[in-house]
């Protein structure tokens, strides 16, 4: 990083400090030459302003000039007194008052020489910064250490933000189509690499050309670090594969579970990324630390511990996060099913719950659908274990006479009966839902009872009939 103090040691410049000796650690981003009496609209933060003081006519002129530099956030002022009989005292006083470092340029030194040396110093610093960051990445330092070094090189705050984070910067990043974005308050760069869920690099301020080069290098290095971490995790996560296989095969999962290191109650999660193999990357990004995720594919399974801290709003949070970056995801739809919290003894059943929750998600229309097992009624989960042929046979056995009557008469007693049962057997509520008179509703239910040969006011009969109705959905 090039600072005002760095410029004092550049060979041949012979710069001398006239004010702000305690402020020389300010970083310099570029050099700007001006002779305007009020250059504020043209000066950017971090710039070293170079002036021959042609704007100075007498005491009092310095106040507006220096105030404009301070407001713009200039790093300092390098001034030559060749045309003003030396550096004016009011300029020294104004720089002291507004906390602007003031360097005196020798009267015999050309501004072209000053500009050239400063530009070369900035370029060398940028190249050095890139080499130092590359060296840090090669050393495989933690990402936070890499960011610490980047902050020192850039002289600006910077952080990595996953695109699933509830962050205003993410919204701006998505609005820019996932491309680099420059604003006065922040510069955003997409982190390099092919990842299911993108990350962005946010740097606090508008970047100079040299800083932009460093930022691009940094974004690429972070992407490499993330790829390395993903590769390591993929190897670590392979311990879950025997457990998933045991659950599918019906064999004893305890030995495989012991190898995973998972303890206590667990949840099984399954994700499908339609049209890509992004499901593993999505689950890796969204699941809590410690979760083990299966191999990449359009559909990927995961197992995670639930010590009672699993957030109740996880499905809604995940849905909102994915919907927010839907345009950047490498797939047509994202579907996720989550089991209930289950002990080890019920893990096979938990996997089936997650599987059916995924099937329910697939029936829905959204581009992102996250369905927890708790949303699905017990009867639907029980019926999910039956084949299509078995469900059709059971439906025909229980509802056959009613189905035939509707087909012959052009009526829809099946629908009326379903609404009646879903209204807890209340004629009043069912009539209101169907927009018919309550006596009409009672007549239809009575006719359905006759056709089926059952008492539809009896709970056990209602249960059998409702399961048969659900078997067709």
């Amino acid at each position: 990083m090039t600072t005002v103090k760095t410029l004092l040691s550049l060979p041949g410049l012979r710069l001398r400090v006239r004010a702000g000796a305690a402020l020389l650690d300010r970083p310099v981003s570029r050099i700007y030459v001006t002779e305007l009496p009020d250059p504020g609209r043209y000066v950017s933060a971090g710039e070293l302003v170079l002036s021959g003081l042609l704007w100075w006519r007498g005491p009092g002129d310095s106040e507006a000039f220096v105030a404009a530099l301070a407001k713009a956030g200039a790093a300092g002022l390098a001034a030559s007194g060749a045309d003003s009989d030396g550096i004016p005292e009011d300029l020294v006083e104004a720089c002291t008052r507004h906390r602007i470092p003031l360097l005196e340029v020798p009267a015999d030194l050309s501004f072209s020489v000053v500009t050239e040396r400063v530009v070369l110093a900035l370029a060398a610093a940028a190249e050095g910064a890139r080499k130092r960051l590359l060296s840090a990445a090669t050393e495989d330092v933690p990402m936070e250490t890499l960011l610490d070094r980047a902050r020192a090189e850039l002289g600006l705050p910077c952080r990595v933000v996953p695109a699933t984070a509830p962050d205003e910067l993410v919204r701006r990043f998505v609005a820019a189509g996932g491309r680099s974005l420059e604003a006065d308050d922040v510069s955003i760069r997409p982190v390099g690499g092919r990842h299911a869920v993108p990350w962005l690099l946010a740097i606090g301020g508008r970047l100079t050309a040299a800083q932009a080069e460093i930022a691009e290098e940094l974004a690429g290095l972070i992407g490499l670090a993330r790829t390395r971490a993903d590769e390591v995790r993929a190897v670590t996560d392979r311990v879950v594969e025997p457990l998933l296989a045991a659950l599918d095969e019906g064999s004893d999962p305890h030995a495989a579970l012991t190898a995973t290191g998972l303890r206590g109650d667990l949840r099984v999660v399954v994700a499908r990324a339609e049209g890509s193999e992004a499901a593993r990357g999505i689950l890796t990004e969204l699941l809590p630390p410690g979760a083990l995720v299966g191999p990449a594919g359009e559909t990927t399974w995961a197992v995670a511990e639930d010590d009672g801290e699993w957030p109740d709003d996880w499905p809604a949070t995940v849905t909102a996060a994915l919907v927010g970056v839907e345009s950047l995801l490498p797939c047509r739809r994202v579907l996720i099913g989550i089991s209930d919290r289950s002990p080890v003894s019920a893990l096979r059943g938990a996997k089936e719950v997650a599987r059916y929750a995924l099937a329910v998600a697939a029936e829905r229309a959204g581009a992102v659908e996250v369905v927890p097992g708790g949303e699905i009624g017990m009867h639907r989960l029980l019926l999910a274990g039956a084949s299509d042929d078995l469900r059709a046979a059971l439906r025909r056995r229980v509802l056959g006479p009613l189905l035939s009557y509707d087909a012959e008469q052009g009526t829809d007693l099946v629908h009326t009966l379903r609404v009646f049962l879903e209204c807890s057997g209340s004629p009043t509520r069912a009539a209101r839902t169907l927009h018919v008179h309550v006596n009409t509703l009672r007549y239809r239910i009575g006719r359905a009872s006759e056709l089926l040969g059952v008492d539809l006011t009896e709970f056990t009969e209602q249960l059998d009939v409702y399961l048969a109705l659900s078997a067709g959905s």
Side-chain angles (χ1 to χ4, degrees), residues 388-422:
D388 290 344
D389 289 340
L390 177 57
R391 280 184 287 171
L394 292 174
R395 178 179 172 84
R396 171 59 59 180
R397 186 182 74 184
V398 175
L399 300 178
L402 198 59
L403 294 171
S404 298
Y405 181 83
D406 276 349
E408 293 169 2
Q409 301 297 323
T411 55
D412 198 0
L413 289 181
V414 169
H415 177 63
T416 299
L417 181 54
R418 181 168 197 135
V419 172
F420 172 70
L421 294 177
E422 288 178 347

Side-chain angles (χ1 to χ4, degrees), residues 260-308:
T260 66
L262 295 170
R263 299 289 184 270
D265 288 345
L266 304 170
R267 285 183 189 261
V268 180
V269 183
V270 58
R272 181 183 302 152
E274 293 185 350
S276 81
E277 294 192 348
R280 172 178 166 79
I282 290 171
L283 286 184
T284 299
E285 191 71 25
L286 295 173
L287 288 174
L292 296 176
V293 185
E298 188 173 49
T299 300
T300 298
W301 292 84
V303 181
E305 290 183 356
D306 184 352
D307 57 2

Side-chain angles (χ1 to χ4, degrees), residues 56-97:
W56 191 85
R57 293 289 182 268
D61 288 351
S62 298
E63 174 63 26
F65 184 88
V66 177
L69 301 189
K71 184 177 181 180
L77 170 63
S80 171
D83 295 309
S84 57
D85 295 325
I87 301 297
E89 282 302 316
D90 73 318
L91 181 61
V92 176
E93 293 170 1
C95 285
T96 301
R97 186 165 54 255

Side-chain angles (χ1 to χ4, degrees), residues 184-207:
D184 289 337
D185 61 329
V186 67
S187 297
I188 298 175
R189 296 290 184 276
V191 168
R194 297 173 62 85
H195 303 284
V197 177
W199 286 0
L200 57 96
L201 171 64
I203 302 172
R206 186 176 289 274
L207 304 180

Side-chain angles (χ1 to χ4, degrees), residues 232-271:
V232 171
R233 175 164 182 172
V235 174
T236 303
D237 282 356
R238 291 198 65 181
V239 297
V240 81
E241 294 178 32
L243 173 61
L244 295 172
L247 296 177
D248 278 339
E249 295 164 1
S251 56
D252 186 356
H254 283 81
L257 182 64
T258 300
T260 66
L262 295 170
R263 299 289 184 270
D265 288 345
L266 304 170
R267 285 183 189 261
V268 180
V269 183
V270 58

Side-chain angles (χ1 to χ4, degrees), residues 195-197 272-279 282 297-298 322 325-335 367-368:
H195 303 284
V197 177
R272 181 183 302 152
E274 293 185 350
S276 81
E277 294 192 348
I282 290 171
E298 188 173 49
L322 291 175
V325 293
E326 177 191 334
S327 61
L328 305 181
L329 298 177
C331 52
R332 294 189 299 272
R333 301 177 74 205
V334 178
L335 311 173
V368 177

Side-chain angles (χ1 to χ4, degrees), residues 215-226:
E216 295 293 344
E217 186 80 25
L218 176 61
L221 294 176
I222 292 171
L224 288 175
R226 184 185 183 189

